[in-house]
Amino acid sequence: MPPPHQLVVEADGGSRGNPGPAGYGAVVIDPQTGEPLAEAAEYIGVATNNVAEYKGLIAGLKAAKALFPSDDAPRVHVRMDSKLVVEQMSGRWKIKHPDMKPLAAEAARILPPASVTYEWIPRAENKHADRLANEAMDAGKRGRQWEPSSSTAALDAASPAVPLDLPPVTGPPGDAVAGAAKARAAMASRATTAAPVAPATTPRTGWGTAPDLGAPATFVLLRHGETVLTPEKRFSGSGGSDPELSVAGRGQAAHAARAFADRGTIQEIVSSPLRRCRETAAAVAGRLSLDVRIDENLRETDFGAWEGLTFGEVRERYGSDLTAWLASPDVAPTGGGESFAEVADRVSAARDRLIARHQGRTVLLVTHVTPIKTLVRLALGAPPESLFRMELSAASVSTVAYYADGNASVRLLNDTSHLR
């Protein structure tokens, strides 16, 4: 019996908003020559990053299988920059989210599990699939389908691939090259077309003719005042102690309350359940004679075993975990913490719920660094790594407005003028 063909699948998915307009890309590669054998990409409408990543994996595995429809199943090595998908499909992480379970099951059915291996790679090594995903999202934004003939994804690959260290197969030399030639012939005999997609949004009109969308829901985002952990820049999330405001933090909360009273624009107050936020919110509420409503989804990230540690201490104790966390929003801190992707899911849910409830009103959200940065990132359609490129001081104010057509506008970021 001839040995199975070896292929590499690189896949990626993205969402501009998480959830937002989403798409995936996948490429099948000959591991010996580095030559792309098949590409797949699709705009999938509004979805999360994780859903798009799984869709990319499924498309890549199907494309690999289709190259050899009459032969034994190929041996496939999957490379992705989604730590979540790689770890879940490898069986090392449990699949908790109900949206992920059917996608993972579908991916597992495409090829025999023993013939598929998974490897996490940095985003910089996944440029081809990343480009395909972005091309698909760009096409969807224009209300069009992704077209292989117009793709430039291969040009964005970092460099010609080198032979990968895959599990060896037996058989005469040239099997992989012959397989690649057969794959190219199969590709040439099939015209791959994607189904037309509906426009992602209603086409926008010019500034002068834009419809009146009414007053937006405006979220004034107030980070809580300092605690004893803040000046030392220690990880302080929702999984460790629940520190109160320090003397300096109570002073900051009082300054913020005075500023909001002077402006007179706040109509509602919603707070994280954690003590430092509730105390900050109470100071403002007392000045404005408003009640404070608690929203559990506005809590800070659970940093697991890193709670209470400095960045340097985490680097010393959990170096490899920290490196993986910095590289992927799907990676959670050591010890059962919460990934940035998981935080984005619950913050998005809170955002949508609050927008629906407070359209046309100005609401003060008293929360933490990660939820505020996440709301700003999603409003801008910025990638997850932008979380590490924003500065948010204690008791700082940021503002995002949400319009009836689904668009958002970031109006202010990290304003501390009220503290001077």
Side-chain angles (χ1 to χ4, degrees), residues 68-89:
F68 303 97
S70 60
D71 295 345
D72 292 334
R75 179 177 295 175
V76 175
H77 186 67
V78 176
R79 291 157 47 91
M80 299 181 67
D81 59 48
S82 171
K83 188 78 170 177
L84 178 83
V85 174
V86 168
E87 294 298 317
Q88 288 182 344
M89 292 303 298

Side-chain angles (χ1 to χ4, degrees), residues 1-227:
M1 179 181 294
H5 300 285
Q6 286 191 296
L7 300 171
V8 171
V9 168
E10 293 180 351
D12 197 15
S15 170
R16 294 170 179 172
N18 198 30
Y24 67 74
V27 56
V28 184
I29 301 170
D30 178 349
Q32 290 199 7
T33 67
E35 181 180 1
L37 304 178
E39 291 180 332
E42 183 183 1
Y43 170 72
I44 58 174
V46 175
T48 64
N49 279 324
N50 291 339
V51 168
E53 295 275 12
Y54 262 110
K55 292 280 190 178
L57 168 63
I58 291 167
L61 292 175
K62 287 182 176 179
K65 182 179 181 180
L67 291 175
F68 303 97
S70 60
D71 295 345
D72 292 334
R75 179 177 295 175
V76 175
H77 186 67
V78 176
R79 291 157 47 91
M80 299 181 67
D81 59 48
S82 171
K83 188 78 170 177
L84 178 83
V85 174
V86 168
E87 294 298 317
Q88 288 182 344
M89 292 303 298
S90 298
R92 291 185 289 269
W93 288 4
K94 292 183 178 180
I95 304 174
K96 300 178 181 179
H97 198 288
D99 290 347
M100 303 300 110
K101 290 181 179 180
L103 294 173
E106 182 181 356
R109 290 193 297 266
I110 296 169
L111 292 168
S115 68
V116 184
T117 56
Y118 291 87
E119 176 191 1
W120 177 83
I121 57 175
R123 187 179 301 272
E125 296 181 20
N126 202 26
K127 288 185 176 180
H128 193 144
D130 175 76
R131 180 65 175 179
L132 287 168
N134 277 285
E135 286 180 356
M137 286 184 280
D138 290 342
K141 185 177 181 180
R142 299 190 299 269
R144 300 175 61 185
Q145 62 183 20
W146 176 80
E147 298 178 357
S149 61
S150 62
S151 175
T152 61
L155 301 178
D156 275 6
S159 60
V162 297
L164 296 173
D165 185 18
L166 301 182
V169 295
T170 58
D175 277 354
V177 176
K182 181 177 180 181
R184 288 193 295 273
M187 288 174 63
S189 67
R190 294 193 300 270
T192 302
T193 58
V197 297
T201 58
T202 301
R204 297 180 184 174
T205 55
W207 286 104
T209 59
D212 182 6
L213 299 174
T218 302
F219 292 174
V220 179
L221 310 172
L222 174 63
R223 185 191 171 193
H224 61 79
E226 285 187 8
T227 72

Side-chain angles (χ1 to χ4, degrees), residues 232-233 235 309-319 322:
E232 299 180 8
K233 298 186 181 300
F235 283 92
L309 303 179
T310 65
F311 189 89
E313 290 168 342
V314 174
R315 174 68 75 187
E316 289 179 3
R317 301 181 195 183
Y318 309 103
L322 180 63

Side-chain angles (χ1 to χ4, degrees), residues 123-381:
R123 187 179 301 272
E125 296 181 20
N126 202 26
K127 288 185 176 180
H128 193 144
D130 175 76
R131 180 65 175 179
L132 287 168
N134 277 285
E135 286 180 356
M137 286 184 280
D138 290 342
K141 185 177 181 180
R142 299 190 299 269
R144 300 175 61 185
Q145 62 183 20
W146 176 80
E147 298 178 357
S149 61
S150 62
S151 175
T152 61
L155 301 178
D156 275 6
S159 60
V162 297
L164 296 173
D165 185 18
L166 301 182
V169 295
T170 58
D175 277 354
V177 176
K182 181 177 180 181
R184 288 193 295 273
M187 288 174 63
S189 67
R190 294 193 300 270
T192 302
T193 58
V197 297
T201 58
T202 301
R204 297 180 184 174
T205 55
W207 286 104
T209 59
D212 182 6
L213 299 174
T218 302
F219 292 174
V220 179
L221 310 172
L222 174 63
R223 185 191 171 193
H224 61 79
E226 285 187 8
T227 72
V228 293
L229 300 178
T230 308
E232 299 180 8
K233 298 186 181 300
R234 294 184 178 274
F235 283 92
S236 180
S238 58
S241 62
D242 190 4
E244 63 182 358
L245 294 179
S246 63
V247 173
R250 288 194 289 273
Q252 292 166 339
H255 281 298
R258 188 178 305 114
F260 289 128
D262 291 342
R263 296 172 191 172
T265 56
I266 302 299
Q267 297 170 289
E268 303 280 347
I269 302 176
V270 183
S271 173
S272 155
L274 299 182
R275 184 173 182 177
R276 51 198 183 272
C277 286
R278 289 189 286 107
E279 290 179 344
T280 303
V284 180
R287 290 294 295 259
L288 302 183
S289 298
L290 293 173
D291 294 327
V292 177
R293 191 165 58 82
I294 302 300
D295 192 314
E296 291 287 336
N297 283 347
L298 295 181
R299 68 188 184 277
E300 181 57 289
T301 308
D302 182 346
F303 290 111
W306 303 352
E307 294 277 357
L309 303 179
T310 65
F311 189 89
E313 290 168 342
V314 174
R315 174 68 75 187
E316 289 179 3
R317 301 181 195 183
Y318 309 103
S320 60
D321 290 352
L322 180 63
T323 298
W325 179 73
L326 293 171
S328 173
D330 298 317
V331 176
T334 311
E338 189 178 21
S339 72
F340 283 149
E342 291 172 320
V343 174
D345 285 345
R346 62 171 166 82
V347 169
S348 297
R351 175 202 61 194
D352 295 345
R353 185 172 59 251
L354 292 169
I355 290 173
R357 180 178 297 166
H358 298 293
Q359 193 65 43
R361 298 174 67 80
T362 299
V363 184
L364 178 67
L365 306 188
V366 186
T367 180
H368 309 263
V369 168
T370 309
I372 293 174
K373 287 184 176 181
T374 298
L375 288 167
V376 171
R377 176 183 78 78
L378 296 177
L380 293 173

